[in-house]
Amino acid sequence: MTGKTIIVSNRLPVKIQEKDGGYNSSPSEGGLATGLGSIYQEGENVWIGWPGTEIAPDKEEEITAQLASLSLLPVFLSQEEISEYYEGFSNEVLWPIFHYYASTYSTYRQSNWQFYQQVNQKFADAVLNVAKPGDTIWVHDYQLLLVPALIRKQLPDVSIGFFLHIPFPSFELFHLIPWRNELLEGLLGADLIGFHTFDDVQHFTHACARLLHVNLSSNVISLPDRLIVAEAFPMGIDEQKYASLAKSETVKQEIENLNATLNGVRAILSVDRLDYSKGILQRLQAFEELLKNNPEYLEKVVLYMIVVPSRDTVPQYKHLRDEIDKRVGNINSLFRTLNWSPVQYFYRSFPIETLSALYATADVALVTPMRDGMNLVSKEYVASRINNDGVLILSEMAGSSRELIDAIIVNPNDMGMMAAAIKQALEMPAEEQESRMVKLRKNVSKFNVKHWVKIFMDRLSEVKEQQQSLHTRYVSSVTKKAIYKIYAKTHQRIFFLDYDGTLVGFNADINKASPDKELYQVLQDLSSDPANKIVIISGRDYHTLDKWFGHLPIALVAEHGAWQKLDGEWKSLPTLNDQWKKTIQPVLETFADRTPGSFIEEKTYSLAWHYRNVGAGLGELRAGELINNLRYITSDQGLQILPGNKVIEVKNIEINKGKTVMGLLHDQHYDFAMAIGDDHTDEDTFKAMPENSVTIKVGNNSSEAKYFVNDFKEVRALLKGITKPVPVEE
Ligand code: GDG
């Protein structure tokens, strides 16, 4: 990769402390900082973000200089910006909705949104101040969803990756947000958009398709100027750091102290930031249930619960903290004895050595979030179990549950299931613990944070290469010039032009997609040169084609080749029959009856089921079902099923645009051949064209064609230019 790499996240990986009227800054060791450490500290690379606290304006210069030596570039935020953009919009709108807490916790204030836009612009400006074409920019997380597009506007060719660390919610939740389209458009400024899980990818691409009507093909979104890839990159940890910490002298000493305190009592551990998404209250309830129903565990187990202070200026978090205090108090007062307290609750953070000792000592880790993008604690526990013992209980709502399948997986809403899981964990035989832990450790070590960074960056360069190769296939002004030059030197030419989607746009009513004045003019100009043979080759029925184009001196091919009008008279292919319609028609009718908005079109030798006006998603679903049904019936009847643009067509196997094209090319020697088409059936045309011909696909998805244009308007412009050579703009 040429150029430098710029990392952008809301928070800089730095701890800033006020000391003697000045500030001290030292790097902090978060998971992301560790993973990206090898990148942002190299050469000219830099990490841009907020230092995490309000800095007095007269100290900004001093802080900037200190941070520069750590390869960090600060974006300073005022108190108002922090409360509106960060606390208000990011943490009170996006965080709850993205974690499936819609109605209770989300409020939509216009001023929050305005600040969110303003601060995103501030981050983008900070990037644009240092970014140059050829650089790679990696933007992180939900606070900065608009940044990719803001950068793209100024640097159209730069490489931009985005990674979302929290879940992307299903459409039903996402579309509640008043500014949902703007958020998606912001993200689509990136070239590669990464998520922790495949579900997140699907939710995101689905939202883009439904709200922005983008062209989507599995996980690739095609915009007119660029393709964008959305993909799952499950984030890992620095597993070696946790393994070696567990072996270090300091930690060994702490483990010894802990074991002495425990004195044979089994330890269950939970570690979270204070957050309602982490399922802390539900976990306490499950633990209470366990003690209630299994008195044999009294004085035998203890729950170490660490809750790291977070966002406690937000009212819901304060409330949650009070609730936790109450519930812990309740459990302890109900079950405690003179020598034992069931819950050891800490509302504070610990040095990593203490955390490591707790991971290494705890018999069970109880990680039961209600929703979590990934959850690194579950992986850190596994990495710390250097003796291959211990049991991980993991919520199926955590992204990490997709990988850590050898944990005991629970539904955090099911108290009975959680209590049973704790019991199962406490009683699990050593061999089973080992066999599960070995597999878990293998996963955590293979998919570590370095691997995560590498596969993301590699994929980003691949996407960029794909975009470039697509770029060279686009009919640019240079390509046009070349085509016109060849055209001018040739004397015997043939043009195969598809109709719907190629010469006209799509219309909800197929009868309304009739030719307009401009199109007639284009065809007239093109056909007025006796050296040009124009063939409109369409799936339409021949009556319609005849009505629209019968008066022009051009050849017409209808129903994908079943009917041809080459010299003034319509002829159908010999040996075709339509007896099969009797069995196929009722199947299509069942689908038309079950699917509002769909209808059947009957042509002489084909039947088509159209679903352009069926609700998004349902149409594709029914189309898939229909194809499955038809496959059985058509297999021995000499029929083919053609999935087109929002249409499934059944016709005789002998009919094929490619065959027709080959026949026509055979008739005469042409020194110039061009074919333009937009759908599946045109691929047969492209394949049948000679080596040196000009084949053009409308739309930039994969195709046999050599070139592509974006839409029918560009097709018309290209054809106009052929007959009226005007200087092509550079
Ligand atoms: C977001 C997503 C996603 C905790 N207590 C102490 C301490 N920690 C460290 C842990 C762990 C980190 O905090 C927590 O990470 P999580 O992944 O569990 O959760 P979030 O903070 O919500 O992170 C999450 C993550 O982004 C990454 O993409 O996995 O789903 O919500 O590393 O070790 N560290 C120290 N003392 C503590 O007391 N030193």
Side-chain angles (χ1 to χ4, degrees):
M1 221 176 277
T2 51
K4 64 179 172 301
T5 302
I6 302 172
I7 309 288
V8 196
S9 67
N10 174 57
R11 282 287 297 270
L12 281 175
V14 70
K15 280 180 271 183
I16 298 208
Q17 275 160 338
E18 235 181 306
K19 211 178 163 196
D20 310 327
Y23 291 97
N24 250 350
S25 29
S26 54
S28 72
E29 286 295 299
L32 192 60
T34 315
L36 297 173
S38 58
I39 293 189
Y40 81 91
Q41 284 157 342
E42 252 172 41
E44 277 184 54
N45 298 352
V46 62
W47 188 324
I48 295 177
W50 173 49
T53 173
E54 198 194 355
I55 307 284
D58 60 331
K59 298 285 180 201
E60 287 182 0
E61 212 171 299
E62 175 193 332
I63 291 275
T64 307
Q66 271 185 33
L67 294 180
S69 62
L70 302 170
S71 303
L72 306 176
L73 209 157
V75 175
F76 297 107
L77 300 181
S78 68
Q79 198 47 53
E80 198 184 19
E81 286 171 331
I82 296 168
S83 90
E84 295 262 358
Y85 140 83
Y86 181 57
E87 288 160 6
F89 198 79
S90 303
N91 291 342
E92 288 185 57
V93 176
L94 296 179
W95 180 276
I97 292 245
F98 281 44
H99 284 87
Y100 292 73
Y101 285 83
S103 51
T104 335
Y105 291 125
S106 31
T107 41
Y108 306 109
R109 284 191 209 96
Q110 191 63 31
S111 73
N112 282 172
W113 167 240
Q114 268 153 5
F115 271 93
Y116 186 79
Q117 290 170 285
Q118 181 184 312
V119 175
N120 269 251
Q121 185 65 58
K122 210 167 171 175
F123 274 83
D125 289 343
V127 174
L128 290 165
N129 259 336
V130 292
K132 294 202 181 73
D135 287 351
T136 300
I137 300 160
W138 192 1
V139 185
H140 289 265
D141 229 357
Y142 65 105
Q143 302 92 346
L144 304 177
L145 299 176
L146 307 177
V147 169
L150 295 170
I151 300 173
R152 174 78 55 207
K153 225 166 47 185
Q154 304 299 326
L155 289 173
D157 296 324
V158 81
S159 260
I160 307 177
F162 182 93
F163 192 83
L164 186 72
H165 290 262
I166 64 175
F168 196 96
S170 78
F171 182 74
E172 284 312 318
L173 278 114
F174 184 72
H175 85 149
L176 298 174
I177 305 173
W179 309 280
R180 63 220 179 160
N181 285 22
E182 289 90 332
L183 294 172
L184 292 178
E185 280 158 4
L187 274 174
L188 290 183
D191 301 301
L192 175 63
I193 305 174
F195 300 89
H196 283 305
T197 71
F198 181 61
D199 282 341
D200 300 319
V201 174
Q202 284 196 308
H203 292 157
F204 169 70
T205 49
H206 182 62
C208 289
R210 281 194 70 173
L211 294 169
L212 304 181
H213 308 289
V214 293
N215 187 349
L216 175 70
S217 157
S218 92
N219 63 335
V220 180
I221 295 168
S222 307
L223 297 187
D225 62 330
R226 231 157 17 97
L227 62 82
I228 297 158
V229 173
E231 217 159 280
F233 299 92
M235 184 177 167
I237 59 163
D238 180 356
E239 92 291 0
Q240 278 169 13
K241 177 170 111 184
Y242 285 88
S244 46
L245 262 171
K247 288 181 211 150
S248 75
E249 280 314 311
T250 351
V251 173
K252 270 196 196 149
Q253 189 56 50
E254 293 216 29
I255 296 175
E256 235 167 74
N257 296 346
L258 263 170
N259 277 329
T261 319
L262 281 165
N263 195 19
V265 171
R266 315 282 302 279
I268 302 171
L269 175 66
S270 92
V271 180
D272 313 89
R273 262 184 326 94
L274 177 71
D275 204 292
Y276 45 85
S277 67
K278 302 287 182 184
I280 301 171
L281 293 172
Q282 292 79 351
R283 192 176 309 153
L284 284 168
Q285 202 181 326
F287 186 60
E288 182 175 346
E289 205 143 302
L290 175 90
L291 296 179
K292 221 191 302 168
N293 300 332
N294 303 276
E296 67 272 23
Y297 286 130
L298 298 179
E299 296 197 316
K300 299 285 187 306
V301 337
V302 61
L303 170 64
Y304 275 89
M305 198 172 82
I306 295 165
V307 177
V308 182
S310 166
R311 305 178 194 171
D312 43 15
T313 48
V314 177
Q316 286 87 9
Y317 287 72
K318 259 196 226 145
H319 177 73
L320 174 65
R321 192 187 158 191
D322 293 346
E323 286 298 302
I324 298 173
D325 281 350
K326 263 196 243 162
R327 200 153 299 171
V328 170
N330 267 345
I331 299 177
N332 278 344
S333 60
L334 268 178
F335 297 101
R336 84 167 352 140
T337 63
L338 289 180
N339 310 316
W340 169 78
S341 270
V343 186
Q344 296 281 339
Y345 167 48
F346 307 86
Y347 183 66
R348 51 172 285 202
S349 73
F350 286 97
I352 189 146
E353 291 76 15
T354 311
L355 193 66
S356 159
L358 282 162
Y359 282 146
T361 312
D363 303 279
V364 179
L366 192 52
V367 186
T368 56
M370 309 308 284
R371 270 305 149 175
D372 219 336
M374 172 51 64
N375 190 293
L376 300 181
V377 167
S378 53
K379 296 190 170 180
E380 290 164 6
Y381 176 70
V382 168
S384 309
R385 307 304 299 184
I386 48 176
N387 299 323
N388 295 328
D389 57 359
V391 184
L392 172 65
I393 300 176
L394 183 56
S395 158
E396 64 185 78
M397 312 297 168
S400 58
S401 70
R402 313 300 147 84
E403 297 166 83
L404 305 181
I405 50 173
D406 292 289
I408 301 180
I409 307 284
V410 294
N411 175 352
N413 296 296
D414 186 340
M415 296 309 138
M417 189 184 194
M418 285 210 281
I422 303 176
K423 197 162 185 286
Q424 184 192 346
L426 290 169
E427 286 164 14
M428 189 179 285
E431 309 80 69
E432 187 182 344
Q433 291 186 28
E434 181 169 345
S435 83
R436 286 178 184 250
M437 196 48 83
V438 166
K439 287 185 228 156
L440 290 169
R441 288 174 62 76
K442 249 191 205 147
N443 186 294
V444 169
S445 108
K446 179 165 181 199
F447 297 97
N448 64 20
V449 72
K450 295 240 166 71
H451 181 76
W452 176 71
V453 172
K454 183 174 183 316
I455 57 171
F456 186 91
M457 285 306 201
D458 287 352
R459 189 74 177 104
L460 180 55
S461 346
E462 262 173 44
V463 173
K464 227 46 213 171
E465 276 163 29
Q466 260 171 290
Q467 286 178 351
Q468 263 142 20
S469 79
L470 195 66
H471 205 67
T472 56
R473 285 183 46 222
Y474 178 64
V475 179
S476 61
S477 49
V478 180
T479 322
K480 268 193 211 169
K481 257 190 183 170
I483 296 174
Y484 296 164
K485 232 176 175 175
I486 303 170
Y487 176 90
K489 283 192 209 144
T490 50
H491 311 286
Q492 201 64 251
R493 314 183 193 101
I494 188 159
F495 295 78
F496 295 100
L497 307 174
D498 168 56
Y499 182 70
D500 290 279
T502 301
L503 295 177
V504 292
F506 285 104
N507 195 300
D509 179 351
I510 54 168
N511 298 317
K512 286 204 178 123
S514 52
D516 52 85
K517 238 167 120 186
E518 183 193 51
L519 178 58
Y520 280 128
Q521 193 60 53
V522 169
L523 292 174
Q524 223 145 30
D525 293 344
L526 209 54
S527 56
S528 65
D529 184 337
N532 292 351
K533 184 176 180 74
I534 316 297
V535 185
I536 290 192
I537 179 160
S538 158
R540 291 262 181 181
D541 66 83
Y542 75 92
H543 300 288
T544 311
L545 284 194
D546 203 53
K547 187 170 79 189
W548 287 343
F549 301 110
H551 61 289
L552 293 179
I554 60 181
L556 301 175
V557 176
E559 294 192 27
H560 302 110
W563 289 93
Q564 309 184 348
K565 185 185 181 188
L566 304 177
D567 353 84
E569 214 178 300
W570 282 102
K571 285 188 192 132
S572 74
L573 280 187
T575 73
L576 290 180
N577 83 70
D578 64 352
Q579 289 309 305
W580 54 268
K581 281 186 182 168
K582 280 191 221 132
T583 31
I584 302 297
Q585 182 115 18
V587 180
L588 299 191
E589 261 159 23
T590 323
F591 274 75
D593 289 346
R594 279 173 57 203
T595 318
S598 74
F599 65 93
I600 301 168
E601 183 191 3
E602 180 172 2
K603 301 180 219 173
T604 333
Y605 297 110
S606 87
L607 286 172
W609 178 75
H610 289 263
Y611 61 94
R612 179 161 307 280
N613 301 328
V614 178
L618 177 64
E620 285 69 24
L621 181 82
R622 286 283 152 79
E625 280 177 41
L626 177 60
I627 291 178
N628 279 340
N629 275 358
L630 288 173
R631 231 177 244 143
Y632 268 117
I633 322 172
T634 52
S635 58
D636 55 356
Q637 297 206 37
L639 297 175
Q640 56 178 323
I641 309 166
L642 273 184
N645 196 320
K646 306 275 181 196
V647 56
I648 307 289
E649 189 151 2
V650 184
K651 58 188 170 77
N652 292 60
I653 212 152
E654 302 94 309
I655 308 173
N656 173 315
K657 281 188 179 176
K659 278 191 191 169
T660 314
V661 167
M662 271 195 251
L664 286 168
L665 285 169
H666 199 253
D667 290 348
Q668 205 162 350
H669 173 77
Y670 294 100
D671 53 4
F672 179 94
M674 178 186 258
I676 316 182
D678 75 306
D679 84 6
H680 202 71
T681 60
D682 301 308
E683 293 301 314
D684 293 330
T685 306
F686 298 144
K687 278 185 225 156
M689 296 291 280
E691 185 69 10
N692 59 353
S693 54
V694 181
T695 47
I696 302 174
K697 165 101 177 166
V698 184
N700 60 9
N701 14 23
S702 76
S703 166
E704 286 286 328
K706 278 187 206 142
Y707 303 105
F708 81 94
V709 292
N710 286 311
D711 54 22
F712 75 97
K713 290 182 206 141
E714 292 187 12
V715 174
R716 290 185 184 190
L718 172 77
L719 294 177
K720 268 191 214 167
I722 278 193
T723 50
K724 291 206 185 65
V726 279
V728 183
E729 344 114 35
E730 290 299 329

